[in-house]
Amino acid sequence: DEVYMDKKQININASKAVLLNDADNIVIAINNMEAYQHLDDFDITLDSPILSGQKIARLDIAKDSPIYKYGTIIGFADTDLLKGQVLTNSNVVFKEFGREHEYCSKYVPTRFVNSSSERTFSGFKRSDGRVGTRNFIAVVSTVNCSATVVHEIASYFTPEKLTNYPNVDGVAAFSHSTGCGMELSGEPMNLLNRTLGGYISHPNVASSLVVGLGCERCQVGGLFSHQGLSENENLKTLVMQENGGTTATIKEGIKIVEGMLEKANGIFREEVPLSNLMVGLQCGGSDAFSSISANPSLGKAVDILVSHGGTAILSETPEIYGVENTLTARAVNSSVAEKLLDRVNWWKNVYAVGRDVQINGIVSPGNQKGGLANILEKSLGSAMKGGTTGLMEVYNYADRINEKGFVFMDTPGFDPVSATGQIAGGANLIAFTTGRGSCFGAKPTPSIKLATNSSLYKKMYEDMDINCGLVIDGDKDIEEMGKIIFEEFISFASGKKTKSEILNLGRHEFAPWQIGITG
């Protein structure tokens, strides 16, 4: 029942379109084609021009009948559709339909590799037992009012000033747009505290400096109390109103960070089991090839990682809507399944009611141009990133992740906000698939970009790390591509720079989820 294309089913390289599942009543265009072109493999004549990634009716489809992709419903026919007709979001209707939840019915215990075969990577051991893939010093603001100060402190430490500290990956500022004018208690403040605390004590961070203004609602003391933090040689604080204002705080902050650098530089990479790797799974700027190449290939890499005892975090709750039943079926127990369904229902019935957001049907213009009709079709591809192993736990946004294996974290679909939650939870690597070409970085965690098609990989080579378009080109199958991605996990975790790191991206992408009101 895996929603992966059977590589024996079709030679992609020899066809202009692909049938993903025998139960499908559509095929997917591999190339741009003109109207009236005949597809010999399917005895189809196109009724109009088509872009690569778009859908073609494989046979006549009656009005209101379901449209199947990978054997899964992705929408309903807006009118009687004819064989050869090009399908878009204009003639594929999104609407609710019943889905059976068979909790735990497809859960299979993970088959771990023998200890003698377990792979390792070269990482930074931390005192709490976790392992970093990078070695940063973090400068964190409790409130937007100290945002300029933390950026000024961090920007002082240019690459030239850090040449004597080769084991330090950089000094990174983490500022945000809230921290005051918000609810003083309750989940919005708890969420912010979890997020800030997750970055302050992240395994990719050797030391942290936390800077507050002094009168904000998210007080340094309240944050530390909530997160069980206390000042020590690796964790210092400054409050601007107590320290004499902007200039004085910047000067003192620079002095504090200078004192942290020598110790951070004394930490060296060591070989550690791959079970210490925690990968956050992201997709952005998705297209129809996401579900054919990059996402299922990443899913295969995740399965290998989990077999070595590692952890993978699927998120973006609006982007599993419509296929959440496939995940509850993989849950280790009914409690985990219920947690996932509770989060989806909260989005549908509380948070997003009456709002023009993608969980209610319409995906972004870029997704539409890339061949995705609605959120059901997008979710089908998005969930593939999580592979096929058991769903071991479901976490709230920015919760500390302690469970090994495949887990889920409730986040929005907006990539910076979603990745921020995953990193706060402990992700020390991000794997990010894109079909349209997302440019994203996520300090202090390296972000690997996986292109769904070769055209994108070549056009945006400066931003893309891995070309999953080799699957579309017929040069690699899903299994082979998954192994390539897995090996790159190890390389990037061990210090190889991602394209986003080379471009110094990630300085402004720290974006805690703001779920409360601004008062």
Side-chain angles (χ1 to χ4, degrees), residues 432-447:
F432 192 122
T433 67
T434 181
R436 304 295 296 170
S438 180
C439 302
F440 179 78
K443 290 182 180 182
T445 296
S447 177

Side-chain angles (χ1 to χ4, degrees), residues 136-155:
F136 275 92
I137 291 176
V139 188
V140 180
S141 67
T142 61
V143 64
N144 183 254
C145 306
S146 56
T148 296
V149 168
V150 299
H151 280 284
E152 286 296 313
I153 294 169
S155 63

Side-chain angles (χ1 to χ4, degrees), residues 29-248:
I30 298 299
N31 305 301
N32 297 343
M33 290 180 278
E34 299 297 326
Y36 311 120
Q37 185 164 344
H38 188 75
L39 307 183
D40 294 337
D41 290 341
F42 306 106
D43 191 23
I44 291 172
T45 300
L46 297 178
D47 75 331
S48 61
I50 190 170
L51 298 175
S52 63
Q54 290 186 319
K55 297 170 286 296
I56 310 163
R58 181 186 172 199
L59 40 82
D60 292 345
I61 305 173
K63 180 180 179 181
D64 297 325
S65 295
I67 295 168
Y68 290 95
K69 180 178 180 181
Y70 277 114
T72 300
I73 296 174
I74 61 165
F76 299 84
D78 162 77
T79 185
D80 289 338
L81 303 175
L82 302 177
K83 180 178 178 179
Q85 189 167 347
V86 176
L87 308 186
T88 67
N89 57 305
S90 64
N91 53 21
V92 177
V93 176
F94 166 84
K95 61 182 179 182
E96 296 280 5
F97 65 96
R99 292 178 291 282
E100 292 295 326
H101 283 270
E102 299 177 354
Y103 291 174
C104 315
S105 61
K106 296 180 181 177
Y107 169 75
V108 177
T110 299
R111 296 181 61 182
F112 295 103
V113 298
N114 294 328
S115 57
S116 60
S117 302
E118 186 178 357
R119 301 289 296 278
T120 64
F121 73 95
S122 183
F124 298 97
K125 289 184 177 180
R126 305 301 184 193
S127 59
D128 64 359
R130 296 188 294 174
V131 176
T133 61
R134 296 295 183 268
N135 196 36
F136 275 92
I137 291 176
V139 188
V140 180
S141 67
T142 61
V143 64
N144 183 254
C145 306
S146 56
T148 296
V149 168
V150 299
H151 280 284
E152 286 296 313
I153 294 169
S155 63
Y156 173 83
F157 295 94
T158 61
E160 292 74 23
K161 286 189 173 74
L162 294 176
T163 53
N164 293 327
Y165 307 99
N167 292 332
V168 178
D169 287 288
V171 179
F174 300 102
S175 66
H176 53 95
S177 60
T178 184
C180 200
M182 59 182 294
E183 297 168 72
L184 189 58
S185 61
E187 179 57 11
M189 183 62 78
N190 292 340
L191 184 154
L192 179 59
N193 284 331
R194 292 197 303 270
T195 308
L196 296 175
Y199 273 68
I200 291 166
S201 58
H202 194 275
N204 286 2
V205 171
S207 299
S208 292
L209 169 63
V210 181
V211 183
L213 175 62
C215 56
E216 66 269 24
R217 289 200 153 202
C218 183
Q219 290 278 305
V220 172
L223 166 65
F224 275 43
S225 176
H226 188 275
Q227 291 294 293
L229 301 171
S230 58
E231 282 202 66
N232 56 61
E233 60 181 347
N234 295 319
L235 177 55
K236 300 295 184 181
T237 66
L238 286 173
V239 177
M240 293 169 64
Q241 290 170 352
E242 297 173 2
N243 204 69
T246 300
T247 302

